[in-house]
Amino acid sequence: MCIRDRYAHGRGVAQDYAKARQWWEKSAAQGDENAQFSLGLMYGRGQGVAQNDAKAQDWFEKAAVQGHAQAQFNLGVMYHDGQGIAQNDAKAHEWWEKSAAQGVAEAQYALSLMYHDGQSVAQDSAKAREWYEKAAAQGYAQAQYNLGLMYDAGQGIAQDSAKAREWWEKAAAQGHAGAQYNLGLMYY
């Protein structure tokens, strides 16, 4: 862990957001995508700085353009929610797709919802299932739960109660209340 990160997290030094920001700004000015992402988090959360969505978006975009997967996801969230920038689901989709391709489960899940609901993309149950499966394979409980719903209802796939139960058991093991409830219904 580098000195800039130690100040932000208080590891080996007293936590000091101002010093963390100072070091991250120097690193970010040299194009360091991790520092740019960290500055985006600081401004987005208002940690040690006044909360500022426009600055958060600016830093996330600098990191995202360089391929920082989590920055790509966060930028997608900002576009989806219209957080500090004009709401734009097409841009959200674009950034989430880049992030999801790098294995970010949250981005994979976000894409699955877009395809499931036909939000700024054509509704496509097969693509929704594909992205749910990728997120679920990483242990993302909500994706596991939704896959269970798809198998239970036969939505875009053959109805399969055993597969539904399998996915709900995985989600339930992580404390997902909806999966636990549906398992109870299966056994009732």
Side-chain angles (χ1 to χ4, degrees), residues 117-139:
D117 298 335
Q119 184 181 8
S120 87
V121 295
Q123 195 282 333
D124 187 332
S125 294
K127 279 195 175 197
R129 187 182 80 240
E130 175 188 332
W131 286 114
Y132 279 139
E133 286 174 345
K134 289 179 181 189
Q138 294 188 68

Side-chain angles (χ1 to χ4, degrees), residues 27-28 30-37 59-69 71-72 95 102:
S27 185
Q30 296 180 58
D32 185 281
E33 68 188 59
N34 292 313
Q36 292 165 343
F37 171 71
W59 286 115
F60 285 146
E61 189 153 2
K62 287 177 181 177
V65 166
Q66 293 187 72
H68 193 286
Q72 292 168 338
W95 286 112
Q102 294 189 69

Side-chain angles (χ1 to χ4, degrees), residues 76-100:
V77 169
M78 293 185 86
Y79 276 112
H80 181 266
D81 295 346
Q83 184 182 340
I85 51 180
Q87 196 279 336
N88 186 332
D89 282 336
K91 282 281 202 186
H93 181 270
E94 175 186 330
W95 286 112
W96 284 341
E97 205 164 57
K98 291 176 183 187
S99 179

